[in-house]
Amino acid sequence: MGTVAEQFIEVLRQAGVERVYGVVGDSLNPVVDAIRKTGGIEWVHVRNEEAGAFAAAAEAQVTGRLAVCAGSCGPGNTHLVQGLYDAHRSGAPVLALASHISSAQIGTGFFQETHPDRQFVDCSGYCEMIGSAEQMPRVLRIAVQHAIGHSGVAVVVLPGDVADIPAAHGTGTHDFLTRQGTVQPPSDQVAELATALNSAEKVMLFCGAGVRRAHEEVMSLAARTLAPVGHALRGKEWIQYDNPYDVGMSGLLGYGACYDAMQEADLVVLLGTDFPYDDFLPGKRTVQIDHDPAQLGRRTPLELAVHGDIRETLLAALPQVAQKTDRRYLDKMLSKHVKTLDNVVNAYTRDIEHHTPIHPEYVASVVDELAADDAVFTVDTGMCNVWAARYLTPNGRRRVIGSFKHGSMANALPHAIGAQLADRGRQVVSLSGDGGLGMLMGELLTARMYDLPIKIVVFNNSSLGMVKLEMLVDGLPDFGTDVTPVDYAAIAAAMGLGSVRVEKPTQVREALATAFAAPGPYLVDVVTDPDVLSMPPRITAKQVKGFALGAGKVVLAGGVGRMIDMARANLRNIPRP
């Protein structure tokens, strides 16, 4: 029957797992050796276990299947935590193997001893330790089913000595549940929903990732109610394309007329979204539909909560919804959206030939234009989120993956590794900030080692731009946000990647076209303007005062030139009534 470790890998193969991300060593060695001896599964050597967890999360989100990462005892486990928080909050089915010290030493303060059975509880839906061969394969199968069934992280803790002992039971076969049923809404809630929609004069639909399989139904409801359709960041890729009712995105990274449409509506319908920024929600006149009852009403008070799958709920409600005829509210919001886009989103994509440092918006717009129709974009947290949200065009086939709920830095490159390993023939583009890339830069070696054709576009402004904005709106001068300029193209070249450094806007298009055509990994290091900051669609008086106060403090500290440059760069970015 082999060892527990060999049985562990056999169960993973039965679950369809094709690779395990991690760093070899110590208590993990028996498992890695089992992978070596098993066909159909590979060990992916990342440079940091955190990156391995990010990579597994992206693979799971691209494929919809279980992905696996592993960490050796002590530091190997603690490195996993960041990526697992991201995976769990993103709803990615990921199994993490947290290897442990020898079972005889647990509780003695032994070398590298931690308590992984406690450590991972907050970033997983299942976390248990296998302390004997008799627990296998049952406990592992339960963990796999938790990860798949609840779309989140499951952790199995396995001491190295237990992994190396003979298995106590035969593995046998098992059918893992991979296709889930849909939640049918109660008929009385459907009737109440239809009544609310029919009674409201101005209906607005706000969509999250839960509309993934309901694009047609949302469009039908918008047509029936003449409703503007806005979205959260995670809903963008599923609802913005082929959408004649689109009014943009709300939130700190938002743009367009979404916020205004929501505030003016008589009824706001939240569809499959756990949008966390309650300051941007009206706080009244709200209906929410979600398949997860725990999410209903946790962000805003509701007039009606509907428990059901979005597609099934809308299919049930549409026959009861009357056709509205007054388009004034919809047309007003669509007109406002176009005007806002002209003033904000397109501000730096025209007449850019002589603007240096390069405007990051222009770079993002060219990436969007040249990238494949089915590209996977992985996006670093911070200003890269803004450029992705405002300039990447969804079409139902493209994917945009980021640490949108956990907000971790450095996710884009390791996410790209997982997405590319899931499908080597699909274009994967990492939109990396120089801050994020610097944090997990060693993963460039992983991309080179496996010859992954990832395209890494670095927005290199030698600054933590989002943190700078946070400080200014709080009335603080930006401090500790600027770093020494680095030539990341030179570093990538030294690692064996194709690379180019771009300092003039006229070089952007050719550099990106060359990168996208290259057969292997390629890094485009674009020197971008550090004084370009994103303005949210709603700016409060407190934020304006804070920004002015922060600017004043910078001026008093001798930064007049920087503030003038920032004012010029952002003049057209300020939303106007």
Side-chain angles (χ1 to χ4, degrees), residues 145-227:
Q145 198 58 68
H146 266 268
I148 297 172
H150 292 294
S151 296
V153 170
V155 179
V156 173
V157 180
L158 182 64
D161 60 316
V162 176
D164 211 23
I165 62 177
H169 307 294
T171 305
T173 60
H174 180 74
D175 179 29
F176 289 101
L177 173 69
T178 55
R179 292 175 298 156
Q180 299 184 40
T182 56
V183 180
Q184 297 288 339
S187 58
D188 60 332
Q189 291 181 8
V190 172
E192 289 182 66
L193 172 62
T195 298
L197 291 168
N198 290 333
S199 300
E201 293 184 7
K202 302 176 183 178
V203 176
M204 189 269 182
L205 309 180
F206 186 68
C207 304
V211 301
R212 179 172 182 172
R213 297 175 181 86
H215 184 278
E216 181 179 348
E217 290 72 25
V218 175
M219 293 300 101
S220 295
L221 181 62
R224 190 75 56 87
T225 58
L226 298 178

Side-chain angles (χ1 to χ4, degrees), residues 28 69-73 77 80 96-100 116 120 155-159:
L28 199 54
C69 59
S72 59
C73 58
N77 286 339
L80 282 174
L97 168 59
S99 188
H100 205 354
F120 294 104
V155 179
V156 173
V157 180
L158 182 64

Side-chain angles (χ1 to χ4, degrees), residues 202-469:
K202 302 176 183 178
V203 176
M204 189 269 182
L205 309 180
F206 186 68
C207 304
V211 301
R212 179 172 182 172
R213 297 175 181 86
H215 184 278
E216 181 179 348
E217 290 72 25
V218 175
M219 293 300 101
S220 295
L221 181 62
R224 190 75 56 87
T225 58
L226 298 178
V229 178
H231 57 267
L233 180 55
R234 295 184 72 215
K236 175 184 173 73
E237 60 182 327
W238 306 120
I239 204 63
Q240 192 183 39
Y241 68 95
D242 295 338
N243 181 356
Y245 312 98
D246 178 52
V247 290
M249 191 175 89
S250 191
L252 296 173
L253 311 184
Y255 61 90
C258 183
Y259 174 80
D260 293 309
M262 188 178 292
Q263 300 305 313
E264 191 170 321
D266 296 329
L267 184 70
V268 174
V269 184
L270 305 179
L271 297 166
T273 179
D274 189 35
F275 184 73
Y277 302 107
D278 55 347
D279 286 346
F280 288 84
L281 298 173
K284 56 185 178 180
R285 314 181 310 275
T286 302
V287 170
Q288 185 175 5
I289 308 171
D290 206 286
H291 77 284
D292 182 355
Q295 294 190 3
L296 293 170
R298 75 171 178 172
R299 305 301 184 189
T300 186
L302 301 177
E303 291 186 3
L304 175 64
V306 181
H307 179 214
D309 174 82
I310 302 301
R311 182 174 185 272
E312 297 302 319
T313 300
L314 297 189
L315 283 173
L318 277 165
Q320 305 176 46
V321 177
Q323 177 65 56
K324 295 188 186 299
T325 57
D326 188 346
R327 292 184 55 95
R328 285 178 295 177
Y329 164 62
L330 172 62
D331 290 345
K332 176 183 176 182
M333 291 304 146
L334 292 177
S335 297
K336 187 163 190 173
H337 183 59
V338 170
K339 182 179 179 180
T340 305
L341 290 180
D342 284 340
N343 292 336
V344 181
V345 179
N346 294 326
Y348 298 107
T349 59
R350 300 186 300 267
D351 304 324
I352 49 79
E353 289 79 5
H354 305 294
H355 293 171
T356 56
I358 300 167
H359 288 308
E361 295 94 331
Y362 174 66
V363 179
S365 69
V366 178
V367 168
D368 178 61
E369 180 184 340
L370 297 182
D373 286 343
D374 66 343
V376 178
F377 300 95
T378 61
V379 184
D380 258 343
T381 297
M383 298 307 291
C384 285
N385 269 193
V386 179
W387 315 140
R390 297 186 177 183
Y391 291 93
L392 295 183
T393 305
N395 57 14
R397 289 174 290 160
R398 285 178 164 183
R399 294 298 314 274
V400 181
I401 295 173
S403 186
F404 299 139
K405 297 193 74 172
H406 186 50
S408 174
M409 285 181 64
N411 62 282
L413 177 56
H415 270 160
I417 289 170
Q420 193 71 85
L421 280 167
D423 187 348
R424 284 180 172 269
R426 190 173 184 180
Q427 187 182 73
V428 177
V429 182
S430 170
L431 303 185
S432 299
D434 57 320
L437 181 64
M439 187 175 287
L440 284 176
M441 189 163 52
E443 300 312 318
L444 291 173
L445 296 171
T446 305
R448 180 67 188 90
M449 179 177 179
Y450 292 96
D451 197 28
L452 299 175
I454 300 167
K455 314 309 173 190
I456 303 113
V457 182
V458 185
F459 290 76
N460 188 354
N461 63 2
S462 302
S463 174
L464 300 177
M466 187 62 75
V467 180
K468 178 182 290 189
L469 179 60

